[in-house]
């Protein structure tokens, strides 16, 4: 399942989510200890080296995400002493303690990335580190989380902005039975399960201290041009499924365990909706941004009313959703999406100059600019954008366009 659309322009006002996304959850509030419930099986996952994969409807744009229903957990492996952990998270339940990822087993060296009952993003390391974001996360909204360890320094980033910094001494390997995504593991059982979606989970064996590099790949997939590509140890995009296995795009011999993902009403994979493309541009501290393609077409976001910045991402593949009834075809060379950082119900304008789009030729009189909210919506709607056939451009608003 993928993101679809070209960003076009007009004026858009969000409906309440700070990041202007509007994704929807499929998770319940059930809490059960899987060690005492025989209904749920443990599935073993063997990951493989598959950085280059076949494109399917489940790999375009943000593709699929892992679906945590409050009773399951997912465990990868492999760290060096310095590391970077980053991922997208969409909490479905709030106002209680829940763990996004954890390194447990030795209380003195325990690392827990969690949301507390006040909905703050927290990093806890043993008893010495307690970093908490000043902002509160909301349900049904996507957030990019990054933890960077460089020596004894720990930094926490939310949507590309540092929200906390502390130092602490911690050592020892992270082993297969101690690192968990979606819960904390105390050696015998799981606890503090996360309810929500997680996507694009990456583990690096180096500290990515360049804020520019970190931001550059927030809304885009990792490719061979990433400056730390060789340091990427585990990369779960959650798109490619091999039976019961979710494959890592990198790593030889990486293994993980899927626990408690056998509830048929809560499948492990679900439509993502995270703002992820094949390429992106970003700006922080400004209310406008443009993305120009070498072929000549240009997508611009203007007049952002609130927030700390904006990302534009492009998916260089055909959309996953079909053309609406009554339309002849979709321009399928690429589509665009918008992610506004930390805005409080922001609005913005979008302008798309389609001159140079290889999917558009001949007369432009009958062109329409279509929109959708994100990758979870498998249909397009007319944006109502104004088509300037002289300037060959559209003006309208939304999040994804084609």
């Amino acid at each position: 399942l993928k993101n679809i659309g070209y960003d076009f322009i007009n004026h858009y006002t969000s409906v309440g989510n700070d990041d202007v996304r509007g994704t929807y959850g499929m998770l319940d509030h059930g809490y059960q200890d899987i060690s005492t419930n025989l209904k749920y099986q443990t599935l073993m996952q063997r990951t493989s080296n598959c950085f280059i994969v076949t494109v399917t409807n489940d790999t375009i744009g943000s593709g699929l995400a892992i679906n945590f229903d409050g009773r399951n957990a997912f465990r990868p492996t492999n760290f060096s002493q310095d590391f970077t952990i980053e991922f997208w998270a969409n909490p479905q339940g709030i106002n209680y303690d829940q763990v996004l990822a954890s390194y447990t087993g030795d209380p003195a060296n325990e690392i827990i990335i969690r949301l507390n009952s006040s909905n703050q993003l927290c990093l806890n390391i043993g008893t010495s580190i307690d970093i908490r974001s000043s902002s509160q996360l909301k349900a049904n909204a996507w957030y990019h989380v990054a933890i960077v360890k460089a020596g004894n320094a720990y930094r926490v980033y939310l949507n590309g902005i540092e929200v906390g910094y502390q130092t602490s001494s911690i050592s020892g390997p992270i082993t297969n039975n101690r690192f968990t995504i979606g819960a904390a593991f105390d050696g015998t059982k799981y606890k503090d399960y996360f309810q929500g979606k997680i996507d694009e989970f990456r583990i690096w064996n180096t500290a990515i201290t360049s804020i520019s590099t970190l931001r550059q790949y927030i809304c885009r997939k990792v490719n061979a041009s990433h400056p730390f590509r060789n340091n990427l140890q585990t990369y779960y995009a959650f798109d490619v499924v091999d039976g019961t296995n979710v494959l890592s795009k990198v790593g030889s011999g990486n293994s993980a365990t899927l626990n408690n993902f056998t509830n048929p009403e809560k499948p492990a994979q679900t439509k993502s909706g995270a703002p992820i493309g094949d390429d992106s541009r970003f700006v922080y501290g400004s209310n406008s941004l443009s993305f120009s393609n070498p072929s000549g077409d240009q997508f611009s976001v203007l007049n952002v009313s609130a927030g700390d910045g904006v990302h534009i991402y492009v998916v260089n593949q055909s959309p996953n959703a079909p053309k609406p009834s009554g339309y002849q075809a979709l321009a399928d060379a690429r589509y665009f999406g918008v992610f506004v950082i930390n805005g409080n119900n922001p609005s913005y304008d979008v302008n798309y100059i389609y001159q140079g789009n290889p999917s558009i030729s001949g007369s432009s009189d009958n062109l329409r600019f279509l929109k959708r909210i994100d990758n979870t919506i498998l249909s397009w709607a007319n944006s109502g954008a104004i088509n300037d056939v002289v300037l060959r451009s559209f003006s309208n608003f939304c999040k994804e366009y084609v």
Side-chain angles (χ1 to χ4, degrees), residues 125-139:
I125 303 173
T127 59
S128 60
I129 293 290
D130 184 5
I131 299 174
R132 304 184 183 193
S133 65
S134 59
S135 60
Q136 297 177 326
L137 279 65
K138 296 183 178 182

Side-chain angles (χ1 to χ4, degrees), residues 131 133-134 146 148 154-166 209 211 214-215 284 342:
I131 299 174
S133 65
S134 59
V148 179
Y154 289 81
R155 285 180 166 83
V156 178
Y157 298 88
L158 185 62
N159 291 336
I161 297 175
E162 184 176 314
V163 296
Y165 163 81
Q166 292 184 23
T209 57
I211 186 62
L214 194 65
R215 290 172 174 175
Y284 285 69
N342 302 336

Side-chain angles (χ1 to χ4, degrees), residues 88-104:
W88 282 93
N90 183 318
Q92 308 292 293
I94 56 174
N95 302 323
Y96 61 89
D97 288 320
Q98 53 185 321
V99 173
L100 298 166
S102 61
Y103 164 24
T104 56

